[in-house]
Amino acid sequence: MSFHLHKFPLLSRSGAMERLIAEASEKAEEKCIINLLDIPGGAKTFELVAKFCYGVKLELTASNVVYLRCAAEHLEMTEEYGDGNLITQTETFLNQVVLRNWKDSLKALQTCDDILPYAEELNITKRCIESLAVKASTDPNLFGWPVVEHGGPMQSPGGSVLWNGISTGARPKNSTSDWWYEDVSTLSLPLYKRLIDVMESRGIRQEIIAGSLTFYAKKYLPGLNRRQGDSSTRLAPVALGAPPSEEEQKLLLEEIDKLLPVQKGLVSAKFLFGLLRTAMILKASPSCISKLEKRIGMQLDQATLEDLLMPNFSYSMETLYNVECVQRILDHFLAMDQITGGASPCSVDDGQLLGSPSLTPITMVAKLIDGYLAEVAPDVNLKLPKFQKLAATVPDYARPLDDGLYRAIDIYLKSHPWLAESDREQLCRLMDCQKLSLEACTHAAQNERLPLRIIVQVLFFEQLQLRTSIAGCFLVSDNLDGSRPLRSGFAGSNEGGWASTVRENQVLKVGMDNMRMRVSELEKECSNMKQEIEKLGRGKPSSTWGNVSKKFGFKLKSQMCSAQEGSVSNQNNHSGKLEKVKDRHGKHKNNLSPDG
């Protein structure tokens, strides 16, 4: 842009213009042409400088003061060339107006991006950042901002809201600690990073810093908002224009990872999983992905099953979900659990885990992993070693019951029918049959997909559970019977309580009768199995039964398999439970005895 100006107004205010005009006048007597290629702020700023030189009063604002201050310094508009020169006026406006106001400080800092080298040389950037950090670390309710500066209603000296200068009596809302999140999210990444560093050095709480980083990341990383359930938390990506490129997003994500405090629980597990998923899509550095996995591992007990179901973004697409990543996260969690002295077999027993209202983190993670295994089990490309490794990584004491693990194993066996018998047995060894509930035992005993050895173990431990339950019921019954004479003396005053106790006793007796019948049926079935297996031994029943018992991994006492014929009724309502097992025994028998 060309400016046709007089020499004297310019050289009377600017040392640089005086020198350039003198040099140009020596070269050309008629026309004096000066080329200004590096004026901070460009032609628009120079136009304001020229008006100032002509004596026109400038309107200084937070949007133009940084450009004018840098241009005045570049043109040497000092007090030597007139009182109240442009350097003095802009510096005074910066210190007394801009830096005392949150919005103006923010606007001035944003303009520093365009002329950063000049602004850095004059410490304008540093002063704006310090001003913002001080205001963000101070309770805004003490000074009335950001209520006024955010376009809110004016306040009277008494604190009530004003409407057209008239007090309405309404009280303004108190600002929370996150009032500045949206404002600073308009800064570029380098300036935002410097602001966060200064805020940390001033002692702002880590959770507030983490909240700002979360807000900033959600605004500029569109991938983080794709799985947000609450529409109120969604942020439109970059309101000023198109979303940042993939390379810019990758750089931003890596910087956010570096700035995030390491302390556990400052950000949600869902947000960390979103960062990890986005990092894999953008192919972030391995160190960034590893750090995110460790962060998630620190608070894996706060995650949900939906968080764990991360698609596999590799080119090979070996499996549908990224099982290796979950394995690494689980390893980090267990390592941290040992360091922090988490639950162990010595400190937590089964009763405490089952009865406590709040489960320990390791137990919550075990339940989460079992659910994850059930979700990934239908994937036909999931290899057995990966499935086994993930299931076996969870310590035994972390699972009060193995029902979840049994469900995952059953789904895997159903989706992989081609597995060899040895592989099936090896997979089923992951679960402890003693830790299956009665419902799971009933299902497992009829499950064709389980190996025969496992089914027999399930039946054995189911019988033990029933015997233990019956023994407990007998104990309760004896206690109630023994307390009856003691309570008879208070029948007149506690008739209602005694009647309820009698009813409860009757209910318990009915339950005991049902369990006796069930145990009797199981004993008969066990006895029939013993006879079938003895027939396979060709005249060596005792030694064959002993060998089979050792093969199945337990020892059966003779009294366990002897049915008490006289004490229970001969009902066979549930005798069909082992029909499929007997059929399989019959097949073995036909194969082993050709004349049978």
Side-chain angles (χ1 to χ4, degrees):
M1 183 178 291
S2 299
F3 294 90
H4 301 276
L5 305 172
H6 298 88
K7 298 179 183 179
F8 182 74
L10 298 179
L11 59 86
S12 64
R13 284 289 190 175
S14 168
M17 293 301 297
E18 180 183 24
R19 186 170 56 254
L20 292 173
I21 290 174
E23 293 175 358
S25 299
E26 293 178 358
K27 297 178 181 178
E29 296 181 357
E30 296 181 359
K31 292 184 178 181
C32 179
I33 300 176
I34 301 174
N35 293 319
L36 300 174
L37 303 177
D38 52 355
I39 291 290
K44 187 175 181 180
T45 301
F46 182 75
E47 182 179 357
L48 295 176
V49 172
K51 289 182 178 179
F52 176 81
C53 293
Y54 274 84
V56 178
K57 186 176 181 179
L58 296 182
E59 182 182 358
L60 295 178
T61 64
S63 301
N64 63 23
V65 67
V66 176
Y67 297 120
L68 290 172
R69 174 66 182 89
C70 294
E73 187 71 24
H74 181 75
L75 295 173
E76 302 175 16
M77 302 178 71
T78 62
E79 293 298 296
E80 297 179 6
Y81 295 89
D83 294 337
N85 212 341
L86 191 56
I87 289 180
T88 302
Q89 290 193 24
T90 52
E91 191 67 30
T92 302
F93 186 79
L94 268 173
N95 293 328
Q96 296 185 2
V97 178
V98 174
L99 298 180
R100 294 185 178 183
N101 184 286
W102 168 267
K103 279 290 189 182
D104 289 345
S105 298
L106 183 66
K107 186 62 180 177
L109 182 58
Q110 291 171 340
T111 60
C112 290
D113 256 334
D114 299 332
I115 50 173
L116 196 57
Y118 300 100
E120 288 287 1
E121 185 177 353
L122 299 175
N123 281 333
I124 298 177
T125 308
K126 182 180 179 181
R127 285 184 285 171
C128 290
I129 289 176
E130 289 285 350
S131 171
L132 293 175
V134 169
K135 291 175 175 57
S137 60
T138 309
D139 186 359
N141 297 312
L142 299 177
F143 299 97
W145 38 264
V147 177
V148 176
E149 298 176 19
H150 276 264
M154 296 290 291
Q155 298 181 43
S156 69
S160 61
V161 178
L162 295 179
W163 178 77
N164 288 344
I166 304 173
S167 177
T168 61
R171 307 295 298 182
K173 294 181 179 180
N174 290 334
S175 299
T176 56
S177 58
D178 60 352
W179 60 267
W180 50 272
Y181 287 0
E182 186 173 0
D183 286 342
V184 300
S185 68
T186 59
L187 296 174
S188 63
L189 179 59
L191 293 179
Y192 176 77
K193 180 181 176 182
R194 289 176 59 180
L195 176 61
I196 293 297
D197 289 337
V198 174
M199 287 182 173
E200 287 183 337
S201 66
R202 297 192 65 87
I204 293 184
R205 297 199 310 273
Q206 294 289 297
E207 58 268 24
I208 297 178
I209 297 293
S212 176
L213 290 167
T214 302
F215 191 98
Y216 194 89
K218 287 181 178 180
K219 183 172 183 178
Y220 293 100
L221 295 176
L224 294 180
N225 301 313
R226 292 174 184 169
R227 301 183 65 166
Q228 295 289 337
D230 185 7
S231 60
S232 63
T233 60
R234 294 178 183 173
L235 299 173
V238 198
L240 299 179
S245 64
E246 288 190 3
E247 192 63 30
E248 291 172 338
Q249 293 183 43
K250 175 182 172 182
L251 177 62
L252 169 61
L253 192 146
E254 293 175 350
E255 290 295 334
I256 292 291
D257 176 58
K258 294 177 183 177
L259 292 172
L260 271 177
V262 185
Q263 186 178 343
K264 174 184 175 181
L266 293 181
V267 293
S268 66
K270 183 178 291 293
F271 173 70
L272 291 176
F273 272 103
L275 285 180
L276 179 59
R277 192 181 301 109
T278 306
M280 292 177 176
I281 295 175
L282 298 175
K283 297 179 176 59
S285 63
S287 61
C288 175
I289 294 177
S290 177
K291 286 180 64 178
L292 288 173
E293 290 175 349
K294 291 180 180 179
R295 289 181 186 273
I296 295 173
M298 293 174 62
Q299 54 192 78
L300 183 58
D301 55 300
Q302 302 172 9
T304 62
L305 180 57
E306 182 185 7
D307 297 331
L308 286 182
L309 295 175
M310 293 182 295
N312 198 342
F313 298 108
S314 63
Y315 291 110
S316 61
M317 291 296 291
E318 181 181 346
T319 56
L320 180 61
Y321 295 107
N322 198 334
V323 181
E324 294 88 348
C325 179
V326 176
Q327 178 70 57
R328 292 192 297 269
I329 292 173
L330 179 59
D331 291 338
H332 292 315
F333 172 80
L334 294 175
M336 290 299 301
D337 189 67
Q338 290 181 356
I339 294 174
T340 56
S344 64
C346 300
S347 60
V348 179
D349 56 11
D350 292 345
Q352 182 180 350
L353 284 174
L354 290 171
S356 59
S358 59
L359 297 178
T360 59
I362 185 71
T363 308
M364 297 170 65
V365 169
K367 183 179 179 181
L368 181 66
I369 294 299
D370 288 346
Y372 178 77
L373 288 170
E375 288 293 330
V376 301
D379 188 356
V380 295
N381 293 324
L382 180 59
K383 304 300 181 184
L384 180 60
K386 288 185 179 180
F387 186 88
Q388 283 182 302
K389 182 179 179 182
L390 185 58
T393 303
V394 179
D396 292 337
Y397 64 85
R399 292 187 177 102
L401 290 175
D402 274 8
D403 288 14
L405 181 58
Y406 165 67
R407 175 173 173 266
I409 291 175
D410 184 42
I411 295 175
Y412 188 85
L413 292 176
K414 183 178 181 180
S415 303
H416 301 75
W418 55 83
L419 284 180
E421 190 72 14
S422 59
D423 292 336
R424 290 172 178 267
E425 289 192 5
Q426 184 181 7
L427 178 60
C428 290
R429 288 195 194 104
L430 291 172
M431 64 179 178
D432 186 355
C433 296
Q434 299 184 68
K435 294 166 67 175
L436 293 178
S437 65
L438 286 175
E439 293 80 3
C441 286
T442 303
H443 185 277
Q446 303 176 7
N447 195 338
E448 294 180 340
R449 293 179 287 272
L450 296 182
L452 179 61
R453 179 198 299 264
I454 303 300
I455 294 179
V456 175
Q457 287 185 1
V458 168
L459 288 172
F460 174 72
F461 291 118
E462 182 184 24
Q463 188 181 28
L464 287 183
Q465 288 187 47
L466 289 172
R467 284 183 175 275
T468 304
S469 300
I470 290 176
C473 290
F474 274 125
L475 182 60
V476 172
S477 178
D478 293 342
N479 290 338
L480 290 175
D481 293 339
S483 61
R484 185 173 301 172
L486 296 176
R487 296 189 179 184
S488 61
F490 301 95
S493 59
N494 295 323
E495 292 180 359
W498 175 246
S500 63
T501 303
V502 171
R503 286 195 298 270
E504 292 175 0
N505 192 12
Q506 291 175 352
V507 172
L508 286 174
K509 286 183 177 180
V510 173
M512 286 191 297
D513 291 339
N514 293 334
M515 280 188 282
R516 285 194 190 100
M517 294 171 58
R518 179 63 178 151
V519 169
S520 175
E521 292 168 4
L522 287 174
E523 287 176 342
K524 289 179 181 179
E525 292 170 357
C526 187
S527 179
N528 293 335
M529 286 182 58
K530 178 180 177 182
Q531 293 175 7
E532 293 286 342
I533 296 175
E534 285 178 349
K535 290 179 183 180
L536 298 178
R538 294 179 177 275
K540 300 179 181 180
S542 59
S543 60
T544 304
W545 177 247
N547 293 335
V548 172
S549 300
K550 293 178 181 179
K551 180 180 180 182
F552 287 148
F554 57 85
K555 296 181 180 180
L556 288 174
K557 297 181 181 180
S558 59
Q559 61 181 3
M560 292 284 183
C561 296
S562 62
Q564 300 176 357
E565 305 288 346
S567 60
V568 292
S569 61
N570 296 324
Q571 297 183 14
N572 295 319
N573 295 333
H574 303 282
S575 60
K577 184 177 181 179
L578 288 181
E579 289 297 331
K580 298 177 182 178
V581 179
K582 292 178 182 178
D583 292 341
R584 293 164 69 178
H585 279 302
K587 293 180 182 179
H588 287 298
K589 176 181 175 183
N590 293 334
N591 293 333
L592 294 176
S593 56
D595 41 283

